[in-house]
Amino acid sequence: HTKVNDKHYKSAISEFEHVLRSGKTYSVNVIDKFTKDNVIYSPDGTCSPLDAYYKHFERYKDLVGRKCRNDMNTMFEHIVILSEEHVAWLEQKLGKKRAKREIVKCLKTYSKNYAKQFKFSECGFALHYDEGYTDKNGNFKRNIHAHIMFFNYDFATKQSYLRTLFKKGINEVTGKTNELNPNFVAIQDLAYESFSRLKFKRGKSKLLTLAN
């Protein structure tokens, strides 16, 4: 399965440090010896997702003529959770290196299509293999997931769309607010389309937990 969660930030630097493992990680879920298995990707012309974020930040300032407002959610983080059992199956079938390359390809496709459909600017992503827990038999159970980072601005239309993304809208039949945000349903569809060639199944639609 693939499952998706969202977070958005006014101050993004501390989150980048955690995602990129650029500082000391105090999380008990991070096993340092597996950090070497992680993958960091950023768009062409940048050296890291944080560098991409700063470049978007400066481009915004040049275009608008001022810095981003203090109350602007400048960074939007999208977390894609991958089934450990299915990743293990892919690794057995393709080998670990090839399986990882194929997952990265799917993440690139997803990030690109997500940015295009929902009008954000890509910053790249970090694919984490180093989080999880050790069971009673001493086996490390991986929580395999990717942090996909976006700058909350579309330079083509010169607008920010994060607030629009979170609007549930009105059900045409009942006249009441939708229980499920149709954008989030579309996001699950997009994740499935991006990963289906590796035979991942679609995650169930759900009300996503959001954090500031």
Side-chain angles (χ1 to χ4, degrees):
H1 291 277
T2 58
K3 193 162 60 174
V4 178
N5 290 318
D6 300 307
K7 295 181 181 180
H8 48 95
Y9 302 87
K10 294 182 177 70
S11 178
I13 306 307
S14 61
E15 180 62 13
F16 271 112
E17 289 179 348
H18 167 73
V19 169
L20 303 179
R21 304 289 192 255
S22 55
K24 175 65 177 176
T25 299
Y26 295 98
S27 172
V28 296
N29 297 320
V30 175
I31 309 300
D32 292 339
K33 68 179 181 179
F34 296 115
T35 299
K36 66 182 186 305
D37 297 327
N38 294 348
V39 177
I40 307 295
Y41 167 79
S42 64
D44 291 342
T46 65
C47 59
S48 73
L50 180 57
D51 181 50
Y53 171 80
Y54 279 134
K55 282 182 166 61
H56 289 316
F57 202 92
E58 289 302 313
R59 184 182 176 191
Y60 176 94
K61 186 170 69 174
D62 291 341
L63 182 66
V64 178
R66 56 176 170 76
K67 293 181 179 180
C68 298
R69 297 198 319 267
N70 290 334
D71 63 346
M72 178 180 174
N73 289 298
T74 55
M75 195 269 280
F76 178 51
E77 177 187 13
H78 209 63
I79 302 175
V80 175
I81 303 169
L82 303 175
S83 163
E84 199 279 340
E85 289 182 359
H86 192 73
V87 172
W89 175 80
L90 284 172
E91 290 172 338
Q92 186 176 21
K93 180 181 179 182
L94 304 176
K96 287 189 175 183
K97 289 185 177 180
R98 186 182 170 194
K100 185 185 294 186
R101 285 199 304 269
E102 295 301 319
I103 290 171
V104 168
K105 287 179 184 178
C106 292
L107 286 168
K108 289 180 180 179
T109 297
Y110 178 72
S111 178
K112 179 181 178 180
N113 291 341
Y114 188 99
K116 182 179 180 181
Q117 182 169 339
F118 295 103
K119 299 186 183 301
F120 292 97
S121 296
E122 289 184 275
C123 291
F125 57 80
L127 174 59
H128 286 171
Y129 284 84
D130 63 349
E131 293 186 47
Y133 67 95
T134 302
D135 66 16
K136 61 182 179 181
N137 297 318
N139 299 312
F140 180 55
K141 299 296 184 180
R142 299 174 296 178
N143 171 20
I144 303 171
H145 61 281
H147 298 258
I148 305 179
M149 325 294 276
F150 301 97
F151 185 72
N152 177 27
Y153 195 72
D154 177 48
F155 289 96
T157 61
K158 301 180 181 179
Q159 293 187 56
S160 300
Y161 288 91
L162 186 61
R163 290 182 180 178
T164 303
L165 183 69
F166 291 140
K167 290 182 179 178
K168 293 183 179 180
I170 303 298
N171 186 295
E172 294 180 359
V173 176
T174 65
K176 297 180 179 180
T177 301
N178 290 313
E179 182 183 4
L180 286 173
N181 186 324
N183 289 323
F184 293 161
V185 176
I187 288 167
Q188 297 288 358
D189 290 338
L190 187 61
Y192 170 71
E193 291 166 7
S194 301
F195 285 87
S196 60
R197 68 181 186 82
L198 295 183
K199 302 189 183 302
F200 280 95
K201 296 180 180 179
R202 186 188 187 284
K204 293 182 179 179
S205 297
K206 53 175 287 192
L207 293 172
L208 299 178
T209 301
L210 305 174
N212 288 313

